[in-house]
Each structure stands twice: as C-alpha cells, then as structure tokens.
Amino acid sequence: MATEIPDIVIGRLPLYLRALTHLAEKGQTTTSSHELGQRLGISSAQIRKDLSHFGEFGKQGTGYHINFLIDQLRHILHLNLVWSIAIVGAGYLGHALAHYQGFEQRGFRVAWVFDNDPQRVGETVNGVEVRHINDMIACLREEHVQMALLAVPTEAAQETADMLIEAGITAILSYAPINLKVPVGVQVQYSDPVVQMQRMTYYLNATAQYPET
Amino acid sequence: MATEIPDIVIGRLPLYLRALTHLAEKGQTTTSSHELGQRLGISSAQIRKDLSHFGEFGKQGTGYHINFLIDQLRHILHLNLVWSIAIVGAGYLGHALAHYQGFEQRGFRVAWVFDNDPQRVGETVNGVEVRHINDMIACLREEHVQMALLAVPTEAAQETADMLIEAGITAILSYAPINLKVPVGVQVQYSDPVVQMQRMTYYLNATAQYPET
DNA sequence: TAGATTGTTAATCGATTAACAATC
DNA sequence: TAGATTGTTAATCGATTAACAATC
C-alpha cells in the first residue's frame, strides 16, 4: 500500500492546480482530463493516470468538479495551510520576490527577509523588515520555518545554504547558478534563467541573429 | 544520420556547461564523467551517453579537456555568439532581470527593455533605456531579436506574447503563471517560483509548521 | 606496464499512451 | 437511452544504467 509516487508526477500537480484555479476564476465548475490536457499540452491519459495515484476524483461521463479537485490537490500538496517562507538576499532579485503577488493566494507568506548589508538591514520590503543574516539561524529556528528562497550572490550561495540547513530549513528554492551540496532529506529546486535560455538557443537559428552575414 | 537529439539531453547540456565553467574558473584543466556526475548528481554513464550524441570529446584514461569541452558545448548550443534579448515588463522582476550579472559571460546581452507605463518609459535600467511597448514590434523586427523574457502581469502575458511573436521572437522565457498559446516553432520556457515551491511542500511535514498543535 | 576512463552496446527500468469496460 | 468520460490495464515507447572492450 501507499507505493511511492514518482516525483515527476508530483511535479505536474502544481500545474494541474494552477490550471484548475484559472478555470475556477473564469467561473467554470467542471472540466475533463481532455480539456485540462489541451490547456497544458499533456495527454488526457497522463492526467487521469497521475490523479489515479491519489484516488478517484472524477465521474464517468461528466469529468471533474473543479473546486473539489482543487481542494484535493491542495491537500495532497500540503497547501491546506500557509507556509511561512524566508527570502535570503535583499538585492534586486530579493526585492522582486518579496513583492511577488502570487504567494499569498497560493499557499505562501513572506515572513522573513535577510541580508548581510548593514545598509539594507532595517529597511522595509513590502512590509517586511530586512534582518541581518547574523540573526537568521535564531529567527528561523524559533519559528520553525521550513522553506527559504536563496537570492544571494553566487559566491555566498553554498555557505548561506549551509546556514539555512543549520537553521532547520528543509526546502530551498535557489537562484544561484551552482549545484548546492545539501544533506539528504533537504529539498532543493533551482531557477537559473540562463540555463533555460541556453536550452532554447539550441533550437534557434544562429545565423538569423546577424542576417546580413 | 543526425538523428533527432532528445530534448531532455539538450536540457542537461547547459548544466554541464555551467559545471565545466566553474571547474575552469577554479583552474582545473581536465575532468572525468565521474567527477562531473558527482557534482551534478547525475550518473557518469548518462553524461558520456549524452555527449556521445554529438561526438567523441574525451580520451580513455584521462577524461575530458575542460576548455575543449566547454568550446564544443558552446557551439552545440549556439553560444558561440552573443544573443540579444528583450525584457518585457520593467517592474520589480524586469529590473532584477535587467541587473542580472550572469548574462554577459554566458552568451546573452540585454538589448531592450519595454514597458507600457509612461512613467517608466525613458527611465534607464542598468544602462538600457525603457521603451514603450507600442514601439516593441518595430524595434524587435528591425533588429531581428529572437529571444524575450516575459515579465509582465499575468493578465497581460498572453497578449504580450502574441505581440512578441508578431515581432518575430522565436524563444520566450515566461515568468507569468499561465500556459501560453504559441505557434509551433516558438520555444517557450516557464519560470514560476510557486510551482517549484508547491512541488517541495509535498515532501515537507505539514505539522512541523505549527509544532504546538 | 597497470590503472583509469572513454564510447557504446545491451539490459533494465520507468514513464507514456492506447484502448476499453464501467458507469454517470 | 446515447454520449461522454472516467479509472485502469496492457502495450509501447524512451530513458537510464550496467558492463566492458578499446585505448590513453
């Protein structure tokens, strides 16, 4: 029982949730694996298979009740509560993240912002006071914060990640373009725009860039 | 000959390139598939298999000459030239992207920044003047820009993407939390922090968030 | 030479898809 | 009822890994 769910399936659930929420906001109340698949560029069979790992959420002939499925997915992903997160690094990226409007409705709350620059400490970013990184471990430990967004310079990324782990953080979304070494059990996701851009240039016509030559 | 290379392989090449560049900067001159794999959390067999799609870049017994392999990967990914990119949306995220220091050395140059807010138009972001979005199609067409970073509000994302495509853009890195509809042949990559965060909460202990209850 | 490591083949593993009985 | 769509099984497809001859 309770066989391990493939991680690739888990990775698609937030996309299903996002699309369903979008449909719900448009006022739609039911949908089908076919419609959902069309929107996401995924086969309907895959969506049904993915969902079947967790239960039977649909009805033959009519499909899925959107609000019900949203609720189920939220529970599966542990989004039935609000996760407090910390943003580490209050540079341009840290600011952009702190001002991101999509967190609140989707299960997250920016509870802490840290930086090592005394100039920035004390400043307020979208209502959150920037604290010095020296206080970070104590703050996060006390509040049992589990997730952090890492937006520090590359050179500082690994040591800062080490501090986060010492602080009890178990999930890191890192914007630094390096692979972090973390203990087993700590979740890490990476976001590096250049990696995504370089993946696309492979498919682009390099000569079109300079059409004159 | 020249069988189609799996996209999943293409997606790993930028990671290899990044790790190799890191090693080169540390002064290392050769590496092995084993060492590279360790750093990336990928099996050595996979790295050798991936590279073998493009040629024979290593030597038995000694491994790979780092600078040579970097050069090969750059060519494969069409990074032997600098790609001009446009940033659309000059809010917090657009600013963060415009100030990102990692583009120049990794094959990209922020050539244009656009926004629809007259207040922002004319302002300079990291040395680039913000232009009005009404001028966007003409500017990008004339300069044959192929790639854009989409950092506009969600509601405006699809229509802005439509404009980009009209302008001849063939690669979009979108930060909007929706699936874009684009013609075949247009590359799209997505970056949505919340999707990545929600993928991690699945593995987190939801009760630890409120340890008192 | 002995040790190391490649490129490649074949085997394994896992994910996706097609198909369909069940049923709303 | 007839049409639509689910959940699931089996078949297919593709990706990863193990193993090893070749060779530096």
Side-chain angles (χ1 to χ4, degrees), chain A residues 1 9-10 19 29 45 51 56 64 69 89 91 105 108 110 112 121 127 129 135 138 140 146 154 161 179 194-195 200:
Chain A
M1 46 177 267
V9 172
I10 303 302
T29 57
L51 295 176
E56 306 190 358
Y64 302 92
L69 188 49
Q105 310 132 45
F108 301 93
V110 177
W112 302 92
V121 172
E129 189 191 336
D135 303 334
L140 300 184
Q146 287 191 73
T154 312
N179 269 73
V194 176
V195 161
M200 293 194 284

Side-chain angles (χ1 to χ4, degrees), chain A residues 21-162:
Chain A
T21 306
H22 183 77
L23 289 174
E25 279 167 2
K26 286 202 315 174
Q28 206 170 318
T29 57
T30 61
T31 188
S32 65
S33 58
H34 182 74
E35 182 183 42
L36 214 45
Q38 282 246 309
R39 294 190 150 264
L40 293 167
I42 289 177
S43 79
S44 62
Q46 180 153 87
I47 291 175
R48 294 197 302 277
K49 188 93 201 288
D50 285 353
L51 295 176
S52 76
H53 284 103
F54 304 96
E56 306 190 358
F57 304 129
K59 275 201 176 53
Q60 287 102 324
T62 58
Y64 302 92
H65 191 288
I66 291 175
N67 283 332
F68 175 74
L69 188 49
I70 286 174
D71 201 54
Q72 295 298 310
L73 287 173
R74 284 219 182 106
H75 272 83
I76 292 166
L77 293 171
H78 301 148
L79 298 170
N80 46 320
L81 50 82
V82 176
W83 292 87
S84 289
I85 63 169
I87 294 173
V88 193
Y92 284 105
L93 178 57
H95 273 74
L97 291 168
H99 282 92
Y100 186 59
Q101 294 306 303
F103 288 138
E104 207 68 39
Q105 310 132 45
R106 297 167 78 195
F108 301 93
R109 185 176 70 93
V110 177
W112 302 92
V113 177
F114 297 99
D115 202 287
N116 73 343
D117 182 348
Q119 294 266 305
R120 285 186 188 137
V121 172
E123 179 190 325
T124 290
V125 183
N126 199 21
V128 181
E129 189 191 336
V130 178
R131 303 287 303 265
H132 196 279
I133 203 150
N134 289 346
D135 303 334
M136 185 170 78
I137 295 181
C139 289
L140 300 184
R141 260 216 195 113
E142 180 156 339
E143 308 272 329
H144 296 90
V145 180
Q146 287 191 73
M147 185 178 293
L149 310 190
L150 188 55
V152 302
T154 312
E155 318 81 64
Q158 182 63 61
E159 53 183 307
T160 310
D162 294 343

Side-chain angles (χ1 to χ4, degrees), chain B residues 3-4 25 39 57 62 69 90 98 105 115 117 137 150 154 166:
Chain B
T3 20
E4 193 92 345
E25 279 168 1
R39 293 189 152 266
F57 304 129
T62 57
L69 189 49
Q105 311 131 46
D115 202 287
D117 182 349
I137 295 181
L150 188 55
T154 312
E166 202 186 329

Side-chain angles (χ1 to χ4, degrees), chain B residues 148-195:
Chain B
L149 310 190
L150 188 55
V152 302
T154 312
E155 318 82 64
Q158 182 62 62
E159 52 182 308
T160 310
D162 294 343
M163 287 176 68
L164 287 171
I165 285 153
E166 202 186 329
I169 290 284
T170 50
I172 299 173
L173 171 52
S174 172
Y175 289 87
I178 58 163
N179 269 72
L180 297 175
K181 288 180 217 84
V182 299
V184 288
V186 174
Q187 300 292 316
V188 185
Q189 291 280 312
Y190 295 98
S191 184
D192 179 350
V194 176
V195 162

